[in-house]
Amino acid sequence: MSKIKNAFENGTAFIGFLTAGDPDLDKTVEFILAMEEAGCDLIEIGIPFSDPMAEGVVIQEANVRALKNNVTTDDVFEVIRRVREKSDVPLVFLTYINPVFFYGYEEFFKKCEELGVDGIISPDIPFEEKDEIDPIAKKYGVDVISLIAPTSKQRIQMIAENASGFIYVVSSLGVTGMRSEIKTDLESIIEDIREVTDIPVAVGFGINTPEQSAEISKYSDGVIVGSAIVKIIEEYGADATEPLKEYVKSMKEAANR
């Protein structure tokens, strides 16, 4: 059984994202442990990919930096192994399906189970094609996290009924990136989800300020932040540990005001 449910047992969960290998693999291990220490309840780890179609420029450039370091999927698994020597924090891969297909579905999810990866988010697998990986992932105790977008409408309850781990509600149309305002009627979407499932609901895409974290936590079980964290890593590079801890602490506290 995955440890994802543990992330939602300490108030509103704060979920952070970073790209593995940016700026290098040693620092990725250090940053993950620092983010956990500062209050991250679950950490998404991006597997570098050359065509990250759901990502805005900040995370695209992180992928480029990692790929220039020749980071492979096996390197990312090695990061997990090193993190697991010191931490039980729930970990989820954010990856496009191509690297998983290339690695081999059976071998990929078997390795996830062996090293303690609790879930996978793959933005380019639509719900209707989820069965391509879901049975194999389940076999190895890995949750395939479902995404619900503002355009999902009639599909919301269908997706929610079949979800596992947690549900990732996309706050805004478009790609990832920091936004000054979140205008989507998230409360309505989450109400529709709550009608059919009690699986935790976390909101991501665009969130970057403590004020946004506090507001979204009023009606969701978790707040997800990616680009703002990756931006700190871009700005501070190998020296990002302390700025990351300060930022994560402020966002976690805001989510639980």
Side-chain angles (χ1 to χ4, degrees):
M1 181 181 295
S2 88
K3 296 186 292 293
I4 288 176
K5 65 177 178 56
N6 299 346
F8 297 90
E9 293 176 343
N10 182 29
T12 303
F14 181 73
I15 299 171
F17 166 92
L18 50 62
T19 301
D22 174 34
D24 59 48
L25 295 167
D26 288 342
K27 284 296 172 181
T28 299
V29 174
E30 182 176 316
F31 293 164
I32 290 171
L33 296 173
M35 287 164 62
E36 181 196 12
E37 181 184 340
C40 255
D41 300 289
L42 185 153
I43 298 173
E44 295 178 9
I45 301 171
I47 297 178
F49 183 51
S50 58
D51 188 19
M53 63 191 79
E55 313 298 355
V57 63
V58 171
I59 297 178
Q60 284 180 28
E61 290 178 350
N63 278 265
V64 170
R65 290 193 293 272
L67 290 172
K68 282 183 177 176
N69 292 337
N70 299 313
V71 172
T72 66
T73 303
D74 274 328
D75 290 332
V76 183
F77 277 124
E78 177 62 14
V79 165
I80 301 294
R81 186 191 66 74
R82 292 173 61 188
V83 169
R84 282 290 178 244
E85 289 175 351
K86 298 182 178 179
S87 170
D88 288 324
V89 66
L91 299 173
V92 171
F93 276 148
L94 187 301
T95 179
Y96 295 84
I97 201 61
N98 187 287
V100 185
F101 175 78
F102 184 78
Y103 202 90
Y105 292 153
E106 190 82 20
E107 187 174 357
F108 182 89
F109 287 109
K110 182 179 180 183
K111 201 136 191 174
C112 286
E113 181 186 47
E114 289 173 357
L115 296 176
V117 179
D118 302 290
I120 178 175
I121 302 168
S122 189
D124 55 350
I125 285 199
F127 173 79
E128 287 77 5
E129 297 176 24
K130 181 182 172 186
D131 281 350
E132 182 166 333
I133 60 170
D134 201 38
I136 306 171
K138 276 192 171 69
K139 175 180 171 183
Y140 292 107
V142 179
D143 289 313
V144 177
I145 309 302
S146 295
L147 291 106
I148 289 179
T151 52
S152 296
K153 295 188 183 299
Q154 297 87 351
R155 300 165 71 244
I156 289 176
Q157 293 189 341
M158 176 181 68
I159 296 171
E161 283 177 342
N162 292 278
S164 63
F166 72 93
I167 294 173
Y168 189 135
V169 171
V170 176
S171 75
S172 311
L173 295 176
V175 296
T176 58
M178 295 173 280
R179 291 169 171 81
S180 58
E181 289 183 273
I182 307 294
K183 296 182 179 178
T184 303
D185 183 4
L186 295 167
E187 289 187 72
S188 175
I189 293 173
I190 292 172
E191 283 175 9
D192 287 345
I193 294 171
R194 304 272 196 221
E195 287 182 10
V196 297
T197 182
D198 57 1
I199 284 179
V201 178
V203 178
F205 268 53
I207 301 163
N208 64 100
T209 67
E211 291 73 21
Q212 291 169 334
S213 180
E215 176 61 27
I216 288 171
S217 67
K218 292 176 183 174
Y219 43 83
S220 76
D221 303 302
V223 175
I224 305 169
V225 172
S227 294
I229 288 173
V230 174
K231 190 70 180 174
I232 291 171
I233 295 171
E234 177 188 349
E235 182 177 354
Y236 291 93
D239 298 322
T241 301
E242 290 304 319
L244 280 175
K245 288 168 72 172
E246 290 176 16
Y247 178 74
V248 168
K249 188 169 183 289
S250 69
M251 294 295 280
K252 173 67 179 178
E253 287 177 351
N256 288 276
R257 280 177 188 162

